Amino acid sequence: MIKTTHEISNEDGYIKYNFFEIHPDLESIIADDYFTYASKDFKKQELCESLYKKNFYDKYDEASYKEVYEKYINNENFKAKAMFIYSVVDFDKYTKFVESNAEIANPNELTLNYSVLDSAGVKIDIYNLSIVDISFVF
């Protein structure tokens, strides 16, 4: 696993960090600026909204896919997870990965884990995603 941390806030000595654990086989799909997620340097909100619109609102008619809207599209937790994926996974790199890997033997082993650490040593797990979760939102 590739492990990285990046400071996301520092208020009066209380520091919070992004903490990523990335399977080496997924490193090739990660955006160059993934570590800025949830920080003041994050600049991809419009891109994330655009991808969510393209992959969900534009793809599924609400009347025809009522259950999909209820379970996923209008679910704020699901939307937050999708927006996270769009923030850290580069679409073009992901597309090349898919073209090069038509079959994956153990998809649950290809994971991307995201946590928040603080200066007191507390770690809060936020997302534990596999390539299956990532592919679902694209």
Side-chain angles (χ1 to χ4, degrees):
M1 286 292 217
I2 299 162
K3 298 178 181 185
T4 61
T5 58
H6 181 75
E7 183 177 306
I8 55 176
S9 68
N10 185 342
E11 297 175 21
D12 299 324
Y14 179 74
I15 305 169
K16 291 193 320 188
Y17 303 91
N18 280 335
F19 179 63
F20 293 92
E21 296 173 284
I22 304 165
H23 189 282
D25 292 349
L26 292 182
E27 185 178 20
S28 65
I29 68 170
I30 302 299
D32 294 337
D33 60 351
Y34 75 97
F35 56 86
T36 65
Y37 176 75
S39 73
K40 63 180 175 30
D41 299 325
F42 182 70
K43 306 223 185 312
K44 295 169 90 173
Q45 190 63 36
E46 285 183 30
L47 171 66
C48 295
E49 293 286 345
S50 173
L51 285 169
Y52 194 78
K53 181 181 181 303
K54 174 186 170 197
N55 291 314
F56 292 100
Y57 292 122
D58 294 350
K59 193 182 264 185
Y60 299 99
D61 174 65
E62 190 167 5
S64 301
Y65 293 95
K66 194 173 194 172
E67 188 174 317
V68 172
Y69 267 79
E70 288 174 10
K71 191 170 183 177
Y72 299 109
I73 299 172
N74 290 335
N75 178 326
E76 288 302 313
N77 289 332
F78 175 78
K79 184 175 182 179
K81 183 192 293 188
M83 299 296 259
F84 168 77
I85 292 169
Y86 296 147
S87 298
V88 300
V89 174
D90 182 284
F91 178 73
D92 294 331
K93 290 179 180 180
Y94 172 76
T95 302
K96 289 177 187 169
F97 177 85
V98 170
E99 291 169 355
S100 301
N101 296 282
E103 245 181 75
I104 297 175
N106 297 310
N108 291 331
E109 292 179 8
L110 301 180
T111 59
L112 166 63
N113 301 318
Y114 170 68
S115 305
V116 174
L117 298 172
D118 71 8
S119 53
V122 176
K123 177 182 172 189
I124 300 170
D125 292 330
I126 308 294
Y127 296 116
N128 297 305
L129 306 169
S130 73
I131 191 66
V132 175
D133 300 309
I134 294 167
S135 65
F136 183 75
V137 301
F138 283 107

